[in-house]
Every structure is written in structure tokens, then in C-alpha cells.
Amino acid sequence: ILFFSIMPVYHSEWNSFNGDSLCGCYLLPLKTNVRGPALPWGRAEEDKKDIVEEALYYFRANVFFRDFEIKGNADRLLIYLTLYITHCLKKLEGCQTKDAGTRALYNLAKEGFSAPGEASFPLGGFFPQASQNETEKWRQYIQQLREELGNRLGERYYTSS
């Protein structure tokens, strides 16, 4: 007898956040020194993981799912960051030292990237199109998240190797 258990997709704990959104993504508090529009981390969030930590924590489980039901605006960020982690790991494959890896991740974070509403955006069906002003602020926010994610991933990657 075979038993199949369906593993649940891990959703963001930030889906119930009550705040501003950009292109269907919450503008969330972030533990970071990287400049950008993210809200500063405060006492109210002390017991939570920020969205970057959630993406790194749930990456191994969520990367295997083809279907992901979006339950809130934080899930869109989780999906985007999961895809971005995959790109980061591919970049790190060719980097032999921590310095080389850190540079590669920083450069990847700074590379131009498409936004919701653009034909080349890989997750177009998951993100609503927005005004040009909102899209530009979204880019700044995602740039900040990409840079912070690269910092944390680089530390983990070379510490565990």
C-alpha cells in the first residue's frame, strides 16, 4: 500500500500585514543596513522572520512546488525571492572564494531587472500591473531585498561549505 502525503506550500507569515503595497507586494519591515524604501525593523516584529529570512528558510521546501496559491501580498514577495535565490545559487556555483561569491551576488543584485507589466517579467501572471511611479518604487524595494538576500545567502553558502 502506498501512502501519499501532500506537503503544503509554505506561505508568508506577513500575509496579514496591514500596510502599503507596491505592484501587489507589501512594503514590509526589513532587518537590513542596505538603503531603500523598506520599513525599518521595530520592536513589534522582534519575534518574526523578515521576508528575506522567510524566503531563505522556506526555500528548500517551496522550490519544488509548481503550483503556489497566493494567499496575500507577502506571498508574491516570497515567490519572487525564491526565484531570485535560484539565480543566486547558479551564480555561486562558479565562485571558488567568499570574496568572489560576494562580488557576484552584489553584481547580480545591481543588474537591471524587469518589473510587473513588462513583457520580460518572469512572474507576470502573479503580479498586477501598476503605474510607472509605483513600478519605480517597487524596483527600488526589490533592489534593496535582492541586495540584502545576497548578503545573507553569501554568508550561509560559504559558512556551510
Side-chain angles (χ1 to χ4, degrees):
I1 298 174
L2 293 175
F3 293 96
F4 293 99
S5 66
I6 299 176
M7 294 294 295
V9 171
Y10 291 97
H11 294 277
S12 176
E13 294 176 25
W14 290 96
N15 280 328
S16 61
F17 183 73
N18 189 12
D20 292 338
S21 290
L22 299 168
C23 299
C25 300
Y26 283 133
L27 185 60
L28 297 170
L30 185 63
K31 296 178 193 174
T32 188
N33 292 322
V34 176
R35 290 180 161 236
L39 300 173
W41 195 254
R43 283 192 174 184
E45 296 85 28
E46 278 182 11
D47 296 336
K48 290 182 112 175
K49 294 176 181 76
D50 68 7
I51 193 68
V52 170
E53 193 61 35
E54 275 191 346
L56 290 167
Y57 185 77
Y58 294 133
F59 175 76
R60 285 186 181 172
N62 282 349
V63 76
F64 292 111
F65 289 99
R66 290 185 330 151
D67 299 318
F68 191 104
E69 178 187 359
I70 295 174
K71 293 193 174 183
N73 286 353
D75 277 349
R76 286 186 183 88
L77 285 173
L78 199 57
I79 292 168
Y80 181 90
L81 293 174
T82 299
L83 181 62
Y84 184 67
I85 291 168
T86 303
H87 290 295
C88 289
L89 291 172
K90 287 178 185 173
K91 276 283 189 203
L92 289 173
E93 284 177 0
C95 300
Q96 300 301 315
T97 66
K98 185 176 180 179
D99 285 345
T102 300
R103 268 192 313 277
L105 292 178
Y106 179 80
N107 290 336
L108 182 61
K110 294 293 188 179
E111 276 181 14
F113 54 93
S114 55
E118 296 176 358
S120 59
F121 187 66
L123 301 168
F126 291 104
F127 289 75
Q129 195 166 352
S131 70
Q132 188 169 354
N133 189 32
E134 185 177 343
T135 300
E136 186 53 39
K137 192 165 182 184
W138 180 88
R139 276 186 203 278
Q140 293 168 6
Y141 180 48
I142 294 300
Q143 173 80 49
Q144 183 183 19
L145 292 173
R146 287 165 60 120
E147 205 170 323
E148 181 59 31
L149 191 146
N151 292 341
R152 294 187 203 178
L153 181 61
E155 281 299 315
R156 289 178 183 198
Y157 187 85
Y158 289 100
T159 301
S160 65
S161 296

